[in-house]
Amino acid sequence: MKVLGLESSCDETGIALFDTDSGQMWQRLYSQIEKHREFGGVVPELASRDHVVKAALLIREILDEFGPVEEIDAIAYTRGPGLMGALMVGASLARGLGWSLQVPVLGVHHMEGHLLAPMLTDDIPEFPFVALLVSGGHTMLVEATALGSYRILGETLDDAVGEAFDKTAKLLGLPYPGGPELAALADQTADSRFTFPRPMTNRPGLDFSFSGLKTYALYTVQQNSPLDETTRAEIAFAFQRAVVETLRIKCDRALTETGISRLVVAGGVGANMCLRQVLSKLAKDRGGRVYYPPPEYCTDNGAMIAYAGAMRLLAGQRDEAVFDVLPRWSIEALPEVSG
Ligand code: KG4
Ligand code: ZN
């Protein structure tokens, strides 16, 4: 089955074509980051308009490489969660193309896409596993017992990890989205005179809170301004260490509580090398394993949507030919895939 995947939930237009027989993936990714940078964050209306301009062009590019459009057997698009207007662009394109080709169209959960992205390697995690999903919009720990069977163990009560990275990076004068830039700045020092708090680690539970850490960064910046280069790097280092340590403690707890040994880390912040090192060590110390998507599939992309859609379509799942998107959508509401 050849499944076309469309991702347009935020500021990346991701298109991919996945052949379930050969495992081959064709993909194109266009990032709108440059467009939003001058505003210091994603502007929803700009995002929708840019998806309109780029999505069809990227589909054309893939077909030029792959072959005739009639060979597409099904279409998967991101139905939610995400920005309403941006989601509508992908949904309308998917539905329109599906109707004209007379092929099934399936709405995919964006976070399931992230959660299954590690399957796009040769080193596939088996169920059950605990997934740490860390992106610009979400931070959650999920127990995945089967394809489509997910239980949220904990999630953020306020800011997402990526959001905290981006806001702290902004305080340090780094351009949007500052996560990778803050990580690079932290790498410039081996230690820090600052110690940031590890929020919500001194009480039981698996929820997170990152807004206080961002405020702590604000006070640290204010108290040490004007910042010299060493101080900037030390603040970045202390912030990153606190985030990574907090995530490590919660992952450790989630693995203990579920009795599961496999940990999957996905979402944009999963590209963070410091986090990868620390979680790899945690899994090793516990006698388990940690799985990551290839770096290009950590941030938003069409391949993960094509893949997640393909798994459901192969199992016979179909959507009514309705046109809707779900900007707010719990991953626990998904139907389990049997067989
Ligand atoms: O998954 P993603 O592409 O988009 C959402 O669905 O939100 O994640 C983007 C987020 C941004 O906040 C970005 O700053 C962060 O992931 N990010 C990183 C790194 N690479 C991306 N944060 C820390 N370290 C990184 N290396
Ligand atoms: Zn995402």
Side-chain angles (χ1 to χ4, degrees):
M1 182 186 268
K2 295 177 190 75
V3 181
L4 183 72
L6 277 69
E7 155 60 31
S8 70
S9 66
C10 191
D11 59 348
E12 257 101 27
T13 317
I15 310 288
L17 192 87
F18 180 51
D19 182 348
T20 58
D21 297 325
S22 67
Q24 213 177 338
M25 183 79 79
W26 293 261
Q27 78 147 336
R28 288 287 185 284
L29 186 66
Y30 165 74
S31 172
Q32 307 177 346
I33 281 173
E34 292 303 328
K35 286 231 158 48
H36 300 288
R37 190 161 274 157
E38 65 172 295
F39 304 101
V42 177
V43 182
E45 180 62 21
L46 278 185
S48 320
R49 290 177 189 211
D50 214 19
H51 286 308
V52 172
V53 175
K54 289 294 181 327
L57 288 177
L58 298 186
I59 294 178
R60 185 72 265 159
E61 274 186 39
I62 287 191
L63 291 175
D64 286 347
E65 204 178 293
F66 159 78
V69 69
E70 291 76 23
E71 290 210 11
I72 294 174
D73 298 306
I75 301 172
Y77 69 96
T78 305
R79 189 179 177 200
L83 301 171
M84 178 62 131
L87 290 169
M88 294 286 277
V89 177
S92 45
L93 198 56
R95 283 278 165 224
L97 200 55
W99 271 317
S100 70
L101 294 174
Q102 291 294 302
V103 297
V105 178
L106 192 74
V108 170
H109 196 291
H110 182 79
M111 299 313 288
E112 181 176 57
H114 275 304
L115 190 139
L116 298 180
M119 312 266 178
L120 293 165
T121 57
D122 294 332
D123 188 22
I124 295 176
E126 278 175 35
F127 291 105
F129 56 76
V130 168
L132 173 70
L133 301 177
V134 274
S135 72
H138 296 268
T139 300
M140 53 172 82
L141 275 162
V142 177
E143 179 184 22
T145 41
L147 190 63
S149 182
Y150 311 122
R151 184 166 71 95
I152 297 173
L153 301 168
E155 58 191 326
T156 184
L157 305 178
D158 40 57
D159 290 355
V161 182
E163 198 179 347
F165 260 98
D166 295 344
K167 287 177 176 170
T168 303
K170 198 171 177 180
L171 290 173
L172 294 170
L174 298 167
Y176 175 85
E181 311 247 3
L182 187 147
L185 182 60
D187 281 348
Q188 290 176 17
T189 179
D191 208 347
S192 175
R193 82 195 96 132
F194 306 106
T195 306
F196 279 48
R198 276 78 169 136
M200 294 183 69
T201 53
N202 57 2
R203 60 177 113 156
L206 292 167
D207 285 334
F208 304 93
S209 166
F210 290 105
S211 66
L213 209 48
K214 172 197 70 194
T215 311
Y216 196 89
L218 173 67
Y219 292 148
T220 310
V221 167
Q222 283 173 348
Q223 280 158 13
N224 292 278
S225 286
L227 301 180
D228 58 40
E229 268 314 289
T230 312
T231 310
R232 283 177 79 231
E234 287 189 20
I235 293 174
F237 183 96
F239 170 83
Q240 178 174 263
R241 175 174 272 186
V243 169
V244 167
E245 187 57 15
T246 302
L247 294 175
R248 186 193 68 76
I249 292 168
K250 294 291 163 95
C251 285
D252 192 26
R253 241 180 239 179
L255 293 167
T256 301
E257 279 184 21
T258 55
I260 291 173
S261 61
R262 281 178 288 268
L263 178 66
V264 160
V265 182
V269 185
N272 185 282
M273 292 320 285
C274 176
L275 179 66
R276 287 189 173 214
Q277 277 163 10
V278 166
L279 293 182
S280 296
K281 180 167 183 315
L282 168 74
K284 196 165 162 235
D285 290 349
R286 294 182 58 100
R289 283 274 323 268
V290 59
Y291 299 81
Y292 305 98
E296 73 268 27
Y297 293 149
C298 270
T299 44
D300 291 350
N301 64 85
M304 67 184 196
I305 302 303
Y307 181 81
M311 292 305 104
R312 289 183 171 274
L313 286 155
L314 276 180
Q317 194 176 316
R318 300 287 183 267
D319 269 353
E320 298 266 316
V322 289
F323 183 94
D324 73 340
V325 292
L326 298 170
R328 299 173 73 84
W329 189 11
S330 170
I331 196 169
E332 288 179 320
L334 291 174
E336 187 175 339
V337 181
S338 51

